[in-house]
Amino acid sequence: MTPNRPVATRRPLEAFFAQESSAPLAHAFSGQRPVHPFVGLTPVAASEVPARWRQLAETPLGHPAVAYVHVPYCANHCLFCGFYQHAWREEAGSAYVDALLAQLQRERDRPDLSAAAIRAVYFGGGTPTLLSAADLARAIAAVREQLPLAADCEITIEGRVHGFGLDKARAAFAAGANRLSLGVQTFDERLRQRLGRKASRAELLSALEALMELDQGAIVIDLIFGLPGQDAAIWADDLHTLIGLGLDGADLYALKQMRETPLASAIANGTLTPAAPEQLGAFYQQGAELLDAARWEPLSSSHWRQGTRERNLYNLLVKAGADCLGIGAGAGGSLQVGGQAYAFRNTADVEDYQRRLAEGEPVVAGLMRHSPHARLFNRIKGELERGHLDLVGLAADLQAHANRELAPLTDPLFTQWQHAGLVMRDGRWLELTLAGRFWQVPLTQNLLEWLDQCLRETSSDA
């Protein structure tokens, strides 16, 4: 058995089945839905982290590769957000960007980094658009100068419309950004106030229209369904507003009820009641059908585009297991050495992050080993994220990786999922239905867990 992996209780195949009903969008799975599918992560002992990190830092990036730059400040804690870290202080911005630049300078010295071609950079948070125009431009310019970016690299700035004027947008585009991803969540005035969003509907529309008129990069937004007080009419208005704006892309997300958020407290004390879990599929269907009618193209189970400017590269690549440099306090990433992949996270404490950089110490705070089957699993995750699975290619990979045949392991599972209305077979392809796209994350999770169990049994027998 592989070292450092806990022994798991064997689960029967039926444990990975979906519920069969006349309404698969509502009832295929029950309980809390995972946000991202992960299987087989195990922690690296703290005493081993420094030596292992040195190995990772000396290993060339794989292909493809991406980079994530974290700005951990927010103007306020939004109702639904489970990622809030630090309250924004304007005077903190320049010093934090100085630290980012110091880490980027250090990353430039990674051995053989010149052989890499980073295809996408994502400035996330937090709220990167809180940075001043000058600091935002400094950070983007440093990424372009210090990292080996591909010629067609997608550089995304995530943020909010509030506090992000055209001066910052122009500075970001001039420095090299080519994609803005803005968290709108809803255009409804009443719901926005409940969520802690500061821009009014009129301000939102004006700002988004002005950004589109700049014509300098892709403009995409997030919308959430299942919000407290949201009904089909409000959701339809959000979708029609999105379509009418002519934006380049949009994510449609189900509300995630995360612990230790203002929303969780409001639900616990009875102040707010979000949509019931079985209603979320109907919202998803409504969104998918309206966007399809407007001839928007789905790039993943949650992301659509209209036109050709939007690519959504970072999200697609990182979910398929691309190597990822993590820049900034609290940033995470993924690297590999000797065929073993590791997830890592930098220290989230800004002062500690700045101190470590000043004293020449690594900023990584922890490492996790990915499953020894990570390459195989990443293929599955990346393909199902896009709504299909190449069964012929997967079978060849499984045979080469573990000398196992795919069909005996997965045919009974896929047949049951087909009966449940979640997948269809089309030659070499397993295609997700509309309901399958809605349940894509638990479907992926179940497939990975089932294969992981089967492969562990093979390893144990050997």
Side-chain angles (χ1 to χ4, degrees), residues 68-73 89 91-108 123 131 135-136 138-140 142-143 146-147 326-331 346-364:
Y68 175 76
V69 183
H70 193 60
V71 180
Y73 299 103
R89 295 178 294 109
E91 63 273 17
S94 290
Y96 185 73
V97 171
D98 288 342
L100 290 179
L101 269 57
Q103 190 186 353
L104 285 164
Q105 175 71 32
R106 179 187 293 181
E107 293 294 343
R108 186 182 68 173
F123 284 78
L131 296 173
D135 284 331
L136 188 57
R138 277 203 304 144
I140 299 167
V143 162
Q146 306 290 2
L147 298 183
I327 311 295
N346 297 338
T347 177
D349 184 284
V350 172
E351 291 184 2
D352 184 49
Y353 171 72
Q354 293 168 326
R355 180 195 63 77
R356 291 186 186 212
L357 286 166
E359 297 178 6
E361 297 179 13
V363 296
V364 64

Side-chain angles (χ1 to χ4, degrees), residues 108-174:
R108 186 182 68 173
D109 297 329
R110 283 173 54 96
D112 297 325
L113 194 62
S114 60
I118 293 176
R119 298 190 195 178
V121 179
Y122 195 94
F123 284 78
T127 314
T129 52
L130 286 171
L131 296 173
S132 70
D135 284 331
L136 188 57
R138 277 203 304 144
I140 299 167
V143 162
R144 289 174 56 82
E145 178 182 348
Q146 306 290 2
L147 298 183
L149 306 186
D152 63 345
C153 182
E154 173 192 272
I155 301 179
T156 300
I157 309 299
E158 182 184 62
R160 297 170 62 170
V161 166
H162 179 75
F164 183 62
L166 285 182
D167 59 333
K168 289 187 185 181
R170 291 191 180 99
F173 285 134

Side-chain angles (χ1 to χ4, degrees), residues 195-210:
L195 293 175
R197 313 305 282 183
K198 295 181 178 294
S200 67
R201 176 185 173 93
E203 290 170 333
L204 269 180
L205 297 178
S206 176
L208 291 172
E209 288 168 351

Side-chain angles (χ1 to χ4, degrees), residues 177 180 280 429:
L180 299 180
L280 295 176
W429 299 96

